[in-house]
Amino acid sequence: MEPTFKTGDYLLTDKVSYQAGQPHRGDVVIFHAPAAAGCVEGTGCDFIKRVLGLPGDTVSVHDNAIWINGQAIPEPYIPEENYTKEAEFTRGGREIVLGPEEYFLSGDNRPHSHDSRAFGPVTKQEIVGRAFFRYWPLNKIGIIPRVNYEGFSSTSAFSAAGQ
């Protein structure tokens, strides 16, 4: 998740909020890596990524961007030199329609992130919780803000239907 987080950062995870609520676009979440991620079995491999696609969204990756419902999502936290490219799951401009409990998660370090572009959507059941507070290093201590995607007005099929 560099540059947002570095190896050795310590975070607190809210494991309760998603029991009753849903992840929001822009949340940074911890989740159990899916089998397609290739983690060594029994290692308790968890990933940290950002929620970009919500249930009902149509997602594609092309033109150096992640597209949600036909709009390129603005991502000011991605350095210009970090090119957003397709991976195995999104190759060829493939459009993915997320199911009622599916999320499209992506790392901020796009050239080196193994995320939904490679292994597909992640279910709500795989999400452990939301990273909400960094307590190490001390010079970066504080609340982890949810990104406000100004000017991005994409509404998923499920949220438009009131689900």
Side-chain angles (χ1 to χ4, degrees), residues 18-19 21-24 29-36 46-47 49-56 89 96-106 115-116 119-130 158:
Y18 296 157
Q19 299 299 319
Q22 303 294 323
H24 297 273
V29 297
I30 292 38
F31 64 100
H32 301 304
D46 287 343
F47 285 175
K49 305 292 178 200
R50 190 178 302 277
V51 176
L52 295 182
L54 301 174
F89 197 79
I96 303 156
V97 178
L98 300 175
E101 293 285 315
E102 292 182 328
Y103 296 85
F104 191 91
L105 309 179
S106 186
D115 54 31
S116 288
F119 51 71
V122 172
T123 66
K124 183 179 177 190
Q125 293 73 29
E126 294 170 308
I127 297 175
V128 174
R130 180 180 61 89
F158 293 123

Side-chain angles (χ1 to χ4, degrees), residues 16-141:
V16 178
S17 294
Y18 296 157
Q19 299 299 319
Q22 303 294 323
H24 297 273
R25 195 179 322 276
D27 283 355
V28 174
V29 297
I30 292 38
F31 64 100
H32 301 304
C39 291
V40 177
E41 192 171 330
T43 62
C45 185
D46 287 343
F47 285 175
I48 181 170
K49 305 292 178 200
R50 190 178 302 277
V51 176
L52 295 182
L54 301 174
D57 282 346
T58 300
V59 182
S60 61
V61 180
H62 56 87
D63 299 327
N64 193 28
I66 294 178
W67 295 71
I68 309 290
N69 302 326
Q71 290 185 335
I73 191 163
E75 297 186 276
Y77 44 84
I78 303 290
E80 286 185 35
E81 65 273 9
N82 280 8
Y83 192 80
T84 300
K85 61 183 181 179
E86 302 169 345
E88 295 83 13
F89 197 79
T90 58
R91 194 154 325 270
R94 175 182 179 194
E95 284 192 346
I96 303 156
V97 178
L98 300 175
E101 293 285 315
E102 292 182 328
Y103 296 85
F104 191 91
L105 309 179
S106 186
D108 292 354
N109 188 4
R110 294 294 160 75
H112 304 288
S113 183
H114 196 61
D115 54 31
S116 288
R117 294 172 298 149
F119 51 71
V122 172
T123 66
K124 183 179 177 190
Q125 293 73 29
E126 294 170 308
I127 297 175
V128 174
R130 180 180 61 89
F132 75 95
F133 190 82
R134 179 183 358 221
Y135 63 93
W136 187 263
L138 292 177
N139 66 334
K140 294 194 174 193
I141 195 168

Side-chain angles (χ1 to χ4, degrees), residues 3-18:
T4 307
F5 302 107
K6 305 260 188 240
T7 301
D9 283 7
Y10 285 82
L11 311 171
L12 294 177
T13 304
D14 171 5
K15 297 181 178 183
V16 178
S17 294
Y18 296 157

